[in-house]
């Protein structure tokens, strides 16, 4: 597609529920990133994919968070047993994945609210 | 771990005044990027600086990369109401030789422009 597409744009859930957030990157971009942004803060790195594999998942806060990218394109961020502290805007970004040119194109984000 | 610090956190200026935001890294960076996030929007790439001491201009915006490649600044001349938003700097993890992978974002400088 022309840009990075994220769905849903808004998700309200109850504490303890399971949530999936989807990201469709720019066609041809091999690198895909998930960030989390809380109000008044900069984007916080969660995980980075190069192709199908998670090249760096050091930003995932705990084992309730998991992300996949099975075919090297669309990615899903999965959050189990959601907690109120998980409320944030989850941003997906993609880039060409070339050395020296990891400029990120962000999607509009998925706003998650955990009640 | 690596941190990217930004000051000031907030800046309020009258239209026509100049604005500067500063970014400092605890480690030497291979490159630094700047992004702008409009209220309610997502971060949008502005520019990437790679060389020590590099200066780049985009109309009224001037970006600098320090000689030691550990600091950067963004200066806006004669601000306009369209400049409103939060400006983030971001540097790659892994220090001097790293150009791929996660970007660490600063907390951002939120610019408000009074007409």
């Amino acid at each position: 597609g022309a840009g990075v597409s994220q769905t849903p744009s808004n998700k309200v859930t109850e504490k303890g529920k399971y949530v999936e957030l989807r990201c469709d990157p720019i066609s041809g971009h091999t690198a895909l990133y998930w960030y989390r942004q809380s109000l008044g803060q900069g984007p916080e790195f969660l995980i980075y994919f190069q192709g199908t594999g998670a090249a760096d998942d050091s930003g995932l806060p705990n084992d309730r968070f998991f992300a996949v990218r099975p075919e090297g394109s669309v990615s899903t961020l999965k959050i189990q047993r959601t907690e109120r502290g998980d409320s944030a805007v989850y941003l997906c970004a993609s880039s060409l994945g070339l050395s020296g040119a990891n400029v990120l194109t962000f999607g509009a984000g998925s706003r998650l609210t955990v009640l | 771990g690596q941190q990217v610090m930004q000051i000031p956190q907030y800046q309020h200026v009258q239209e026509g005044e100049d604005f500067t935001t500063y970014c400092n890294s605890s480690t030497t960076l291979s490159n630094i990027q700047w992004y702008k996030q409009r209220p309610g929007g997502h971060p949008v790439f502005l520019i990437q600086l790679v060389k020590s001491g590099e200066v780049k201009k985009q109309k009224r915006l001037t970006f600098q990369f320090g000689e030691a490649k550990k600091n950067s600044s963004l200066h806006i001349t004669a601000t306009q109401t369209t400049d409103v938003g939060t400006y983030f700097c971001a540097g790659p993890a892994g220090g001097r030789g790293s150009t791929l992978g996660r970007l660490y974002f600063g907390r951002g400088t939120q610019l408000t422009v009074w007409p």
Side-chain angles (χ1 to χ4, degrees), chain B residues 50-56 63-69 71:
Chain B
V50 178
K51 299 177 184 176
S52 170
E54 188 170 15
V55 178
K56 286 189 176 180
F63 303 84
Q64 292 188 327
F65 200 10
E67 293 291 338
K69 300 183 77 173
N71 57 74

Side-chain angles (χ1 to χ4, degrees), chain B residues 67-93:
Chain B
E67 293 291 338
K69 300 183 77 173
K70 294 176 97 171
N71 57 74
S72 181
S73 66
L74 158 59
H75 179 81
I76 302 178
T77 303
T79 54
Q80 300 176 358
T81 54
T82 54
D83 295 324
V84 165
T86 302
Y87 293 84
F88 295 100
C89 62

Side-chain angles (χ1 to χ4, degrees), chain B residues 14-103:
Chain B
Q14 193 153 20
E15 191 171 21
E17 292 181 338
D18 292 356
F19 158 77
T20 305
T21 174
Y22 300 90
C23 180
N24 290 286
S25 169
S26 55
T27 61
T28 301
L29 300 170
S30 59
N31 66 79
I32 195 158
Q33 299 177 19
W34 286 89
Y35 291 77
K36 177 183 179 181
Q37 186 172 22
R38 293 182 185 275
H42 56 276
V44 174
F45 173 77
L46 292 176
I47 208 159
Q48 177 175 274
L49 304 170
V50 178
K51 299 177 184 176
S52 170
E54 188 170 15
V55 178
K56 286 189 176 180
K57 293 191 175 186
Q58 289 180 350
K59 297 182 180 178
R60 293 177 296 102
L61 278 62
T62 301
F63 303 84
Q64 292 188 327
F65 200 10
E67 293 291 338
K69 300 183 77 173
K70 294 176 97 171
N71 57 74
S72 181
S73 66
L74 158 59
H75 179 81
I76 302 178
T77 303
T79 54
Q80 300 176 358
T81 54
T82 54
D83 295 324
V84 165
T86 302
Y87 293 84
F88 295 100
C89 62
R96 183 175 303 148
S98 175
T99 58
L100 287 174
R102 67 185 184 274
L103 288 180

Side-chain angles (χ1 to χ4, degrees), chain A residues 30-32 47-57 67-72:
Chain A
T30 62
L32 185 146
I47 187 169
Y48 152 62
F49 288 90
Q50 185 65 257
T52 59
D56 184 350
D57 64 357
V68 295
R69 194 186 186 198
E71 298 178 358

Side-chain angles (χ1 to χ4, degrees), chain A residues 6-115:
Chain A
Q6 290 189 247
T7 55
S9 56
N10 269 291
K11 176 70 177 178
V12 180
T13 191
E14 293 180 344
K15 180 176 178 297
K17 299 290 188 183
Y18 170 79
V19 166
E20 286 191 354
L21 307 176
R22 175 189 164 105
C23 173
D24 196 346
I26 291 174
S27 177
H29 278 193
T30 62
L32 185 146
Y33 305 75
W34 284 99
Y35 282 81
R36 176 168 71 174
Q37 188 175 28
S38 301
L39 194 64
Q41 303 293 321
E44 174 195 9
F45 171 79
L46 296 177
I47 187 169
Y48 152 62
F49 288 90
Q50 185 65 257
T52 59
D56 184 350
D57 64 357
S58 62
L60 295 177
N62 51 59
D63 61 5
R64 295 187 297 105
F65 288 74
F66 189 71
V68 295
R69 194 186 186 198
E71 298 178 358
S73 179
V74 171
S75 176
T76 304
L77 177 65
K78 309 180 181 193
I79 310 174
Q80 297 179 323
R81 304 183 304 280
T82 51
E83 300 177 356
R84 292 194 180 86
D86 299 334
S87 296
V89 176
Y90 287 81
L91 294 166
C92 176
S94 68
S95 77
L96 284 169
L98 302 177
S99 177
N102 64 325
V103 170
L104 303 188
T105 301
F106 282 89
S110 292
R111 180 178 298 276
L112 174 64
T113 303
V114 182
L115 301 176

